[in-house]
Amino acid sequence: MSRAFHPPDTLSKDDVRKIADVRRDVWTSGFKGLFYGSAAGYTLHTASKFFYNRVLSEKNKSKIRAAFDISKSKPIFTRNTAFLSFMLGGSLGSFLLATTTGKNEVHELHDIFHIGEKEKPLTPYQRSIENAKKVGGDYNNDTSFDRKRRRLSRRKTRADRLQKGRGLSDSHSGHWLEEDETTTMTQQNRSSRRQNMTKRLEEGRGLSDSHSGKWES
């Protein structure tokens, strides 16, 4: 007798019901595919026979017979070929619909697949984590506390750097230049450049270094 009538004790009633529903859907789809495939196969055989007898020319018929090595005295489409098309269409349709239904509904059985599964041995890293949980309490809570403490420390450091006028990056040695200081330095550079330009002109020297900075008379 099938095991479906005597499920193991590890399965609950809900698990048994899920398995029965999936099995029923697969069988139903298989029979539907058998019916549709058989009808499609027989219809295709009839259409091919009509096309061969009414549409094709004698020249094309001769080519087909020569390709399959069939003599003119033997017909191509017979009751045997009709039965073959009927059976091939039914088997193909049943296989396709049953397989598609099974793949679409297998997600219903994922939890059942792990019932009664033996526990896998722990790796050395996993054993060390388990030991840390037993010795130091809740490992996850400790990790969360450490993250929170580091986050507060970073915020405090960032606030101290901003209050001291230092940037968050190390550019300019972490110091900001005051606006007045920047303006004064710019004015000094401009004044120095103007003095150099005036001196070079008074001495008869050009502004560039071509010809050693001298004009030819």
Side-chain angles (χ1 to χ4, degrees):
M1 187 175 290
S2 175
R3 294 187 61 184
F5 298 100
H6 300 283
D9 297 334
T10 54
L11 296 179
S12 63
K13 292 183 178 180
D14 187 52
D15 295 334
V16 174
R17 181 187 56 79
K18 288 181 179 180
I19 296 174
D21 291 341
V22 173
R23 183 186 295 111
R24 182 177 58 254
D25 292 340
V26 170
W27 277 95
T28 302
S29 299
F31 280 112
K32 288 182 179 179
L34 177 64
F35 174 76
Y36 294 140
S38 300
Y42 185 77
T43 302
L44 181 61
H45 179 273
T46 303
S48 300
K49 182 179 180 180
F50 176 82
F51 182 80
Y52 178 81
N53 294 330
R54 301 294 181 87
V55 179
L56 287 181
S57 62
E58 291 297 332
K59 183 179 180 180
N60 292 328
K61 290 180 182 179
S62 300
K63 290 182 180 179
I64 294 175
R65 289 181 177 276
F68 291 97
D69 195 15
I70 301 175
S71 61
K72 293 184 178 180
S73 60
K74 294 181 180 181
I76 294 180
F77 296 95
T78 61
R79 286 183 295 179
N80 292 334
T81 56
F83 183 72
L84 178 62
S85 300
F86 181 84
M87 295 300 293
L88 284 177
S91 60
L92 182 61
S94 177
F95 172 77
L96 290 178
L97 265 69
T99 303
T100 303
T101 302
K103 289 185 177 180
N104 290 337
E105 297 191 7
V106 71
H107 64 88
E108 299 287 347
L109 306 178
H110 283 168
D111 297 335
I112 301 175
F113 291 155
H114 299 286
I115 295 177
E117 184 180 16
K118 295 182 180 180
E119 295 184 358
K120 297 181 180 180
L122 297 178
T123 62
Y125 175 73
Q126 292 174 340
R127 284 197 296 269
S128 63
I129 292 179
E130 292 295 332
N131 295 331
K133 289 181 180 179
K134 295 178 182 179
V135 175
D138 194 348
Y139 180 80
N140 293 328
N141 290 339
D142 293 344
T143 304
S144 177
F145 176 76
D146 293 339
R147 287 200 300 267
K148 185 176 181 180
R149 185 176 59 184
R150 288 194 297 269
R151 190 183 304 115
L152 293 176
S153 177
R154 287 196 299 270
R155 291 178 181 176
K156 183 178 179 180
T157 303
R158 189 183 304 117
D160 292 341
R161 293 177 69 92
L162 293 175
Q163 289 178 358
K164 294 178 181 179
R166 302 176 62 186
L168 300 180
S169 65
D170 293 332
S171 59
H172 305 289
S173 299
H175 292 277
W176 291 336
L177 296 177
E178 297 292 339
E179 184 176 0
D180 295 340
E181 183 180 354
T182 304
T183 304
T184 302
M185 292 177 61
T186 303
Q187 292 177 352
Q188 290 178 356
N189 292 333
R190 290 177 179 175
S191 177
S192 176
R193 287 197 299 270
R194 289 174 181 173
Q195 291 177 1
N196 290 333
M197 291 170 59
T198 303
K199 184 177 180 180
R200 291 173 71 94
L201 292 174
E202 290 177 352
E203 294 176 355
R205 301 171 60 187
L207 300 180
S208 65
D209 291 332
S210 59
H211 305 290
S212 300
K214 296 182 179 181
W215 292 335
E216 294 180 358
S217 57

